[in-house]
Amino acid sequence: MSSSSEPVDIDGLTRSYGDVQALDGVSFTVETDEIFGLVGPNGAGKTTTLRILATLLEHDDGEVSVYGRDVADAPNEVRAAIRYLPAEAGAYENMTGRQYLEFVAGFFADNPEKYVERGVEIADLGERLDDDTSEYSTGMTRKLLVASALMTEPRLAILDEVTTGLDVRNARRVRDTIKAYPDGDRGVLLSSHDMLEVSYLCDRVALLNAGEIVDVGSPEDLCDRYETQNLEDAFLEATR
Amino acid sequence: MSAFWRLLRKELRELARPQYLIPLLMMPLFLVLVVQGGGAAEEAAGQRPVVAVVDNDGGAYAGIANETLHHRANVTAYETGFSRPQSVDLLEDGPAKLLFVLPENFSERIEAGQQADVRIYSTLQQVSITSGAQSAKARALLSAVDENITANVTGASPAALHPTTNTHTTFVQGTHVEASPGVLSGSVSQRFFFLGFVMVLAVFGSGTLVINSMGSEKENGTLETLLTMPVQRRTIVGAKLGASAILGVVLTAFYVGVFYLVQPNNGGAAVAQLSALDYGLVGLSLLLAIVDILALALCLGVFANDSRGAQSLLMPISFLMMVPVFVTNFFDVASMALPLKAAFYAIPSTHPVIAPMELAFGDTTTVLLGIAYEAVFATVTIGLTVRLFGSDRLITGDAGHLSVIFDALQD
C-alpha cells in the first residue's frame, strides 16, 4: 500500500496474554480527516489495540497497518507517522515543561522551534512551563503531554484516555484542540470511558467488548440502531 | 543533534540526579573509614610503647629488665616497692598503657635457674580489633628482656643467641619473590584488596544507576512514550548504556582517586610495581566489566515493575559482583574444584579484580583471556538487551519461565 492509504487498517487482529484472549479478530479502519473512538469497559482490549498500533506490543495474528506500513515489518516508519499518548504517561521529572517539549520535538525536526512554539500554545501553562515537571499537578502534566503529542502534527494521533486527570475547563480545552486536529491527511484514534466525550469528539466509534468489535458507526447511527438516547445506552444494548 | 546524542544527553541528565548519585558518592566513605582505621592501627603498632615500671625486686636482673624497658619503650613512671593497688593507680593516672611489675624475688629466681613471673597490666579505652597490638608490644618488650637477661646469665653473644638467619624465597605463578609467603600475602592483600573492592564498587554503582533509570522510566510512565519515538530501539539501548558507562567511568575515577588519597603508598615492596601498559590492561578490563554489568542490569530492568523492583532484581547480581574480592583474598583459587573455579571466572567482575595481581606476577595471558571473555560477555549481553528492547517484553514484563523468579524477587 502507498503512504496515502488509510491512517489505520486493522483486519482480524488477535492477541493473547497467556491463556487470556485480549483481542479476538478485531477489524476496523480509521480514515483521514476522522476522529475514531474505541469504546469499551476495562479489559475490553482498547489499550492493547492502541499499543499494537503504536508498535509497543506484538500481535499474534491479523494485519495491522498505519498509512499502509505494516506495524511489524516497518515499525520505525510507523513511529515516524504517529504520536502515542498512553493513559498513564508522565514527563521526565528533571526537565522543565519547555525542555520536555524541546526534547520530544527534536526527534521530528532538525529545527524544532516551530513545533515547540505550537506545543507551548497547546499546553497553555504560562510561566509554569519553565518549572520542573516534578512540580506539576496531574492536570498540568496531562496538558503538557497532550501538547507534546499534537505539536509535531503527526499524521495519526493515538490518544488513550486523553482527558484523564483534567478538570472540566481544561478537559474542554483539550477536546477542542483534538476536535480541530484532523485535516485532509491526518486522523485521530482515541479510547475513552467517557461516553459524552466520545460522542462529542468522534466521527465514528467502535464498540469493543471482551476483545471483539461489537459494532462500528457514528455515535448518532449507533444510537439510532439500538434505539437509545445516548452512546452509553447503545453500548449496553449492543453488549447485552 | 542526532537522536543518539539527544537520548544520551537525556540519560545523563536522568542518571546524574542527586538522589541516584549522592548514595554512590558516599560509598567511598566506608572505604576511607576502613583504610584509615587500619592505618591508624598500623601507626599505633609502629609507635614506641608508653609503659610504667614497678620494680619491687631491685636486684641485678631486675636492673637489666629495667634497662631494656627504658631502652625499648617510653617509660613514663618508674616506682619501687609499690603495692598492687598503687601499681594499678599508675595505669589509671596515665599516660602509660602498659605496666610491668617485677616481683620481689625476680632476680633470686633467675639466679636459681627458675622462671620469674612478670605481672603485666594493660589499659584499653575500648575493646576493638586493633586491641591485639598492645599485647604484641608487651610480648616484644618481654622478649627483649629475656634476650638481655639470657645473654647476661650465659655470656652468649647475639650470634650465639640467634645462630641462624634466613632469606625466604617464594615461588608463585612461575616467578620467584624474595619474601616469605606471609610477607607476600600481606603485601598483596594491602595493595590489591582495597583496589579490587573499589573496582567492584564502581561496577556495582554503574549497574545501580542504569537499573534505577529503567525502573524510573517505568514508574513515571515515560518509557512507552520513549519507545514510540521515531528512533531505532538499539539507539535507545546505546544511549542508556553510553550514558551509564560515562557515569560509571567518572564514578570509578572518583573511587580510585579516593583510594589513592587515603592509601597513597599502597602495597609493600615485595611485589613488583605495575607498568603503564599493565594499568591500561586493568583499565580496559574494568571498563568491560562495567559494560557487562550495565548490559546485564538493562536486561533485568526490562522485567522491573518499578524502581523498588529494579533494585530488588539487581541485588543478587550485586552480591555476585562482590564475590571475586573476597574469594581472591580468603581462598586459594588454584585449589578450588573445577565447577567453582569456572563459576569464579564466569563472573565478569572477577577479571579486573585479579588483573593487577596477575600482572604483578607477570601473567599477562590470563589477563588477556579475561578481557576477551569480558568482551564476548558484553557482546552477547548487549545483543540480548537490544533483542529484549525490540520485543514487547519491555511492556508486558513477561520473562517466560523466569517470571516466577522475577516476580518473587519483586514481591
Side-chain angles (χ1 to χ4, degrees):
Chain A
M1 271 190 275
S2 73
S3 63
S4 61
S5 304
E6 304 299 346
V8 175
D9 191 354
I10 293 179
D11 185 23
L13 173 62
T14 64
R15 164 77 200 209
S16 62
Y17 300 101
D19 296 333
V20 179
Q21 191 69 41
L23 297 174
D24 189 7
V26 168
S27 302
F28 66 87
T29 57
V30 177
E31 293 164 10
T32 50
D33 208 16
E34 176 182 59
I35 299 178
F36 189 93
L38 277 180
V39 171
N42 291 334
K46 304 188 297 292
T47 299
T48 297
T49 306
L50 300 190
R51 281 175 164 175
I52 288 170
L53 273 166
T55 73
L56 290 170
L57 285 180
E58 293 157 9
H59 55 285
D60 300 332
D61 205 1
E63 301 290 328
V64 183
S65 62
V66 172
Y67 287 100
R69 304 292 178 189
D70 189 279
V71 292
D73 296 340
N76 288 319
E77 289 173 54
V78 170
R79 284 176 207 139
I82 66 162
R83 286 307 321 280
Y84 172 54
L85 178 59
E88 293 176 359
Y92 293 108
E93 291 180 345
N94 59 337
M95 288 185 187
T96 65
R98 188 182 301 277
Q99 285 169 337
Y100 183 74
L101 293 178
E102 287 167 352
F103 170 70
V104 173
F107 287 101
F108 295 88
D110 291 334
N111 296 305
E113 291 78 15
K114 184 186 72 174
Y115 289 154
V116 175
E117 263 177 46
R118 181 163 158 71
V120 170
E121 189 187 326
I122 298 171
D124 189 32
L125 289 169
E127 291 179 356
R128 298 296 308 274
L129 194 71
D130 292 311
D131 290 344
D132 279 348
T133 63
S134 58
E135 296 167 16
Y136 284 7
S137 66
T138 309
M140 289 168 71
T141 304
R142 199 67 185 161
K143 283 167 74 178
L144 178 72
L145 292 170
V146 170
S148 76
L150 298 182
M151 68 178 177
T152 57
E153 299 175 351
R155 295 179 75 194
L156 174 67
I158 304 172
L159 311 170
D160 197 359
E161 304 291 348
V162 69
T163 54
T164 302
L166 292 177
D167 58 38
V168 174
R169 194 178 300 276
N170 281 313
R172 183 61 181 265
R173 196 169 187 284
V174 167
R175 282 187 200 118
D176 288 344
T177 304
I178 294 168
K179 187 87 175 163
Y181 187 76
D183 69 5
D185 191 40
R186 301 195 301 219
V188 175
L189 171 62
L190 59 84
S191 83
S192 179
H193 286 108
D194 187 339
M195 298 293 185
L196 281 176
E197 178 172 280
V198 172
S199 299
Y200 172 72
L201 281 176
C202 297
D203 300 303
R204 285 191 307 138
V205 173
L207 306 179
L208 192 60
N209 189 46
E212 293 180 13
I213 297 281
V214 179
D215 209 342
V216 178
S218 70
E220 297 77 21
D221 286 348
L222 289 169
C223 288
D224 289 347
R225 202 172 298 159
Y226 294 99
E227 297 177 350
T228 58
Q229 295 297 310
N230 57 54
L231 194 58
E232 187 172 87
D233 289 339
F235 177 80
L236 291 173
E237 279 297 316
T239 57
R240 185 186 293 197
Chain B
M1 191 189 294
S2 74
F4 175 78
W5 290 111
R6 184 174 303 283
L7 286 168
L8 187 77
R9 218 169 75 161
K10 185 274 278 184
E11 292 297 336
L12 280 172
R13 190 201 289 257
E14 277 282 289
L15 294 174
R17 283 198 274 179
Q19 67 254 45
Y20 295 159
L21 278 188
I22 288 174
L24 294 174
L25 294 176
M26 297 287 279
M27 267 192 196
L29 272 185
F30 171 68
L31 181 75
V32 170
L33 287 175
V34 172
V35 173
Q36 296 288 40
E42 259 178 47
E43 197 180 325
Q47 281 174 354
R48 209 171 146 85
V50 181
V51 305
V53 179
V54 171
D55 180 2
N56 289 332
D57 181 65
Y61 291 115
I64 294 171
N66 281 327
E67 197 180 313
T68 309
L69 290 172
H70 275 82
H71 182 66
R72 297 290 187 102
N74 180 15
V75 178
T76 57
Y78 175 79
E79 303 293 347
T80 57
F82 260 38
S83 65
R84 182 188 158 120
Q86 284 174 309
S87 303
V88 172
D89 282 348
L90 274 179
L91 265 191
E92 286 180 353
D93 295 344
K97 303 286 185 197
L98 282 168
L99 168 65
F100 290 84
V101 179
L102 308 174
E104 282 177 4
N105 59 354
F106 183 79
S107 297
E108 188 186 324
R109 287 185 67 85
I110 292 172
E111 274 168 11
Q114 296 174 323
Q115 285 183 314
D117 181 47
V118 177
R119 287 288 297 172
I120 302 171
Y121 297 88
S122 288
T123 178
L124 294 173
Q125 295 296 322
Q126 193 180 339
V127 178
S128 73
I129 199 165
T130 61
S131 305
Q134 197 143 317
S135 54
K137 284 178 183 177
R139 275 198 306 276
L141 287 172
L142 268 188
S143 175
V145 167
D146 280 354
E147 196 173 299
N148 284 346
I149 290 175
T150 306
N152 190 279
V153 169
T154 62
S157 65
L161 284 172
H162 300 286
T164 62
T165 60
N166 67 77
T167 307
H168 205 138
T169 299
T170 304
F171 289 89
V172 53
Q173 295 183 10
T175 63
H176 68 276
V177 180
E178 297 300 328
S180 68
V183 170
L184 188 59
S185 164
S187 179
V188 164
S189 175
Q190 189 187 357
R191 185 188 296 180
F192 299 129
F193 178 78
F194 286 114
L195 184 60
F197 191 66
V198 159
M199 288 195 284
V200 167
L201 270 189
V203 172
F204 163 74
S206 311
T208 304
L209 279 175
V210 77
I211 207 162
N212 269 335
S213 154
M214 280 299 294
S216 170
E217 291 257 27
K218 286 196 171 183
E219 198 167 287
N220 296 331
T222 50
L223 186 65
E224 289 192 24
T225 311
L226 180 67
L227 293 175
T228 54
M229 295 294 177
V231 56
Q232 300 271 6
R233 295 283 167 84
R234 61 171 176 266
T235 308
I236 296 174
V237 172
K240 282 192 178 295
L241 280 177
S244 43
I246 288 170
L247 283 177
V249 169
V250 171
L251 209 58
T252 307
F254 175 70
Y255 286 179
V256 173
V258 170
F259 169 68
Y260 279 105
L261 207 63
V262 297
Q263 198 182 23
N265 300 315
N266 67 320
V271 186
Q273 293 297 324
L274 300 186
S275 67
L277 178 64
D278 291 340
Y279 278 114
L281 288 175
V282 174
L284 178 61
S285 181
L286 179 59
L287 181 66
L288 283 169
I290 288 174
V291 173
D292 288 347
I293 186 72
L294 288 177
L296 202 57
L298 260 186
C299 279
L300 289 174
V302 166
F303 304 105
N305 298 329
D306 49 28
S307 295
R308 201 176 57 83
Q311 291 287 355
S312 305
L313 287 177
L314 189 65
M315 197 64 78
I317 305 293
S318 305
F319 281 123
L320 204 62
M321 291 290 136
M322 295 287 173
V323 164
V325 178
F326 295 99
V327 167
T328 48
N329 277 275
F330 299 114
F331 297 93
D332 180 9
V333 177
S335 63
M336 287 192 325
L338 188 61
L340 283 177
K341 208 188 285 187
F344 173 74
Y345 284 111
I347 301 171
S349 63
T350 291
H351 302 283
V353 168
I354 65 170
M357 208 176 338
E358 301 290 351
L359 291 167
F361 292 117
D363 187 1
T364 311
T365 309
T366 301
V367 176
L368 291 175
L369 284 173
I371 287 172
Y373 168 74
E374 289 177 275
V376 170
F377 190 98
T379 307
V380 171
T381 323
I382 291 172
L384 179 63
T385 310
V386 171
R387 206 167 155 186
L388 284 171
F389 266 69
S391 75
D392 61 8
R393 290 180 193 270
L394 206 52
I395 303 299
T396 62
D398 178 20
H401 297 303
L402 296 174
S403 289
V404 179
I405 298 170
F406 289 167
D407 289 346
L409 281 170
Q410 295 186 80
D411 278 344

